[in-house]
Amino acid sequence: MRNRIADLRSEHAWTQADVAQRVGVSRQTINAIETGKFDPSLPVAFRLARLFELKIEEIFLDEQ
């Protein structure tokens, strides 16, 4: 699954650590999600969506 987190972070001038702190996970988790090594749990996906004020499906894109 692709995602737009790195682009959204850049738009807000936030680091991975900034996003991680705001959603309550580690910087390594944000890095793993951004690079596609890890898909977030549903609660983390909802927190990311709230942070960026978007719907989950606007952040996480199905590769099909």
Side-chain angles (χ1 to χ4, degrees):
M1 174 178 359
R2 291 185 312 114
N3 67 73
R4 299 178 46 218
I5 296 173
D7 293 334
L8 295 167
R9 261 192 327 99
S10 179
E11 290 174 16
H12 289 84
W14 291 338
T15 65
Q16 288 179 343
D18 293 332
V19 173
Q21 181 180 15
R22 286 173 164 86
V23 298
V25 298
S26 70
R27 184 204 58 80
Q28 292 85 350
T29 297
I30 296 301
N31 180 271
I33 293 169
E34 282 187 7
T35 58
K37 295 177 184 168
F38 174 76
D39 289 332
S41 65
L42 195 52
V44 170
F46 272 109
R47 291 195 301 263
L48 285 164
R50 279 193 296 273
L51 175 65
F52 293 116
E53 298 178 347
L54 296 169
K55 295 177 183 177
I56 289 174
E57 58 270 21
E58 293 174 311
I59 298 173
F60 296 96
L61 313 167
D62 189 7
E63 291 185 310
Q64 291 183 351

